[in-house]
Amino acid sequence: MDEEFYGKENEVDVINEDKSHVAFDKNKVDENLSVARNDIHESYNGTISIRENAKLYVILGWISAALTFFISPLFAVAGITFGILLNKQIKGSGNTLIIANVVLGLMNLVLGIIYVILAERMVGY
């Protein structure tokens, strides 16, 4: 084995020098770094759009929460959906929207039932 690697005169074989594990590993590291740089650049571009969508989901979620309380509990479905979409992008950030829309939807239902009961008593049914 020594003769094959070093040659007959104990000199490094120039033909097989580039195929050594050190040169091979160096080429692999260079390839991995270039792939990692491209991945970082692509992920950086993606985070900008994710943050913009996240802000939009937060705003639309709170608007639907206000509409849920004042107009109809059906808007809670939209608010819960925006909370779920926000959770998919940023973990745990849509939980407040989901809870707020569920609570406000239930409050609207209870207040609606109380309103109907009081209206029936006033009219005399």
Side-chain angles (χ1 to χ4, degrees), residues 71-103:
I71 297 175
S72 172
L74 294 177
F75 287 104
V77 175
I80 293 168
T81 305
F82 290 129
I84 290 170
L85 290 173
L86 189 59
N87 267 343
K88 285 185 180 179
Q89 288 186 356
I90 303 170
K91 301 243 181 212
S93 59
N95 292 340
T96 307
L97 278 176
I98 295 170
I99 293 169
N101 279 291
V102 168
V103 169

Side-chain angles (χ1 to χ4, degrees), residues 14-124:
V14 177
I15 297 172
N16 292 328
E17 184 178 15
D18 289 337
K19 294 181 181 177
S20 68
H21 63 83
V22 175
F24 181 73
D25 287 343
K26 185 176 180 183
N27 290 335
K28 277 284 204 193
V29 169
D30 291 340
E31 288 175 11
N32 290 340
L33 285 175
S34 65
V35 169
R37 286 184 191 131
N38 288 335
D39 289 343
I40 290 171
H41 180 68
E42 289 173 5
S43 68
Y44 177 73
N45 289 336
T47 55
I48 293 172
S49 64
I50 286 175
R51 291 189 183 211
E52 292 296 323
N53 284 342
K55 288 179 185 178
L56 178 68
Y57 291 151
V58 168
I59 292 168
L60 291 175
W62 285 112
I63 289 172
S64 62
L67 292 174
T68 297
F69 184 71
F70 290 112
I71 297 175
S72 172
L74 294 177
F75 287 104
V77 175
I80 293 168
T81 305
F82 290 129
I84 290 170
L85 290 173
L86 189 59
N87 267 343
K88 285 185 180 179
Q89 288 186 356
I90 303 170
K91 301 243 181 212
S93 59
N95 292 340
T96 307
L97 278 176
I98 295 170
I99 293 169
N101 279 291
V102 168
V103 169
L104 291 173
L106 291 174
M107 286 175 59
N108 191 326
L109 281 174
V110 169
L111 290 175
I113 291 171
I114 291 172
Y115 177 76
V116 168
I117 291 172
L118 290 175
E120 284 179 352
R121 288 194 179 179
M122 290 177 80
V123 173

